[in-house]
Amino acid sequence: MTLIDALRGILALGGPVVAILLVMSVLTLAVTLYKLWQYSASGVGRHKVLSEALSAWDLGDRRLARTRLVQSRSYLAPLVGSAMESPDQPGLEGRLDAEAGLALAGLERGFRLLDTIAQLAPLLGLFGTVLGMIEAFQSLQQAGSAVDPSLLAGGIWVALITTAVGLAVAMPTSMILAWLESRTARERVFAYKA
């Protein structure tokens, strides 16, 4: 049995609710991969060289500060560079705060989608379970006096699949979102401290 066969089986049991949940899981995966690439390309969490440049600037070694700044891969390096080029410019601090805020907002792009998926997936799973229970009870009603308990048990089992899939989508999405938010919070602290 291949993965595609297994997915077809789950889709056949869970219906359109499971299909929607699988689409949500693909969206979560896509956003997660994008965020990992974005954080890596932006140098999130890699501010050692930038910190050395700032320390050298504070100690008055302008040449070393500029040299270390050029070597930094941090997305904050251009902001610090513009501050080093004209430290006495009026309104510089406010402009740098605004630019840092924009850079951090870029890092937070996609968080709302992940949050929506984490909140909606269990509700969709529960919705699928309710629909499945309705079907199971309709089958029980149609059986009349010749009620077979396995008919009800089978319907409930199938109905609970959607809840399980909803939780399987929501839990990792929630964990990924929490991790990304914590990384961004650390970046925010560093950006405003720098």
Side-chain angles (χ1 to χ4, degrees):
M1 179 189 265
T2 66
L3 178 64
I4 293 176
D5 291 335
L7 286 174
R8 282 187 186 138
I10 291 172
L11 282 174
L13 288 173
V17 172
V18 170
I20 292 169
L21 289 167
L22 288 177
V23 168
M24 292 171 100
S25 71
V26 169
L27 284 172
T28 296
L29 179 62
V31 170
T32 301
L33 292 175
Y34 168 72
K35 297 310 283 182
L36 290 174
W37 170 82
Q38 180 191 30
Y39 280 27
S40 175
S42 298
V44 169
R46 291 184 300 225
H47 301 298
K48 181 180 178 192
V49 177
L50 184 60
S51 294
E52 291 171 0
L54 290 169
S55 295
W57 184 267
D58 290 340
L59 294 173
D61 191 347
R62 307 293 194 234
R63 190 175 94 8
L64 177 62
R66 287 188 175 100
T67 302
R68 296 305 282 158
L69 185 65
V70 170
Q71 296 168 348
S72 175
R73 291 189 53 216
S74 171
Y75 65 97
L76 294 171
L79 296 176
V80 172
S82 65
M84 287 181 180
E85 291 304 315
S86 52
D88 299 326
Q89 182 182 3
L92 178 67
E93 188 174 330
R95 193 186 91 218
L96 291 177
D97 282 347
E99 288 182 25
L102 283 174
L104 291 166
L107 292 178
E108 293 172 343
R109 192 173 300 120
F111 285 9
R112 185 161 294 160
L113 175 66
L114 291 177
D115 185 45
T116 301
I117 290 172
Q119 291 182 31
L120 197 56
L123 295 174
L124 275 172
L126 184 59
F127 178 64
T129 297
V130 169
L131 292 177
M133 294 297 287
I134 289 171
E135 272 185 45
F137 283 117
Q138 282 177 338
S139 299
L140 195 61
Q141 181 185 13
Q142 290 170 356
S145 60
V147 174
D148 182 8
S150 65
L151 184 69
L152 184 60
I156 293 171
W157 174 81
V158 169
L160 290 175
I161 285 177
T162 59
T163 299
V165 173
L167 292 173
V169 170
M171 289 185 292
T173 302
S174 209
M175 288 172 45
I176 290 165
L177 178 60
W179 180 77
L180 290 171
E181 286 176 338
S182 71
R183 293 288 306 263
T184 305
R186 284 196 299 268
E187 290 297 304
R188 188 173 304 282
V189 168
F190 181 83
Y192 289 111
K193 182 184 77 169

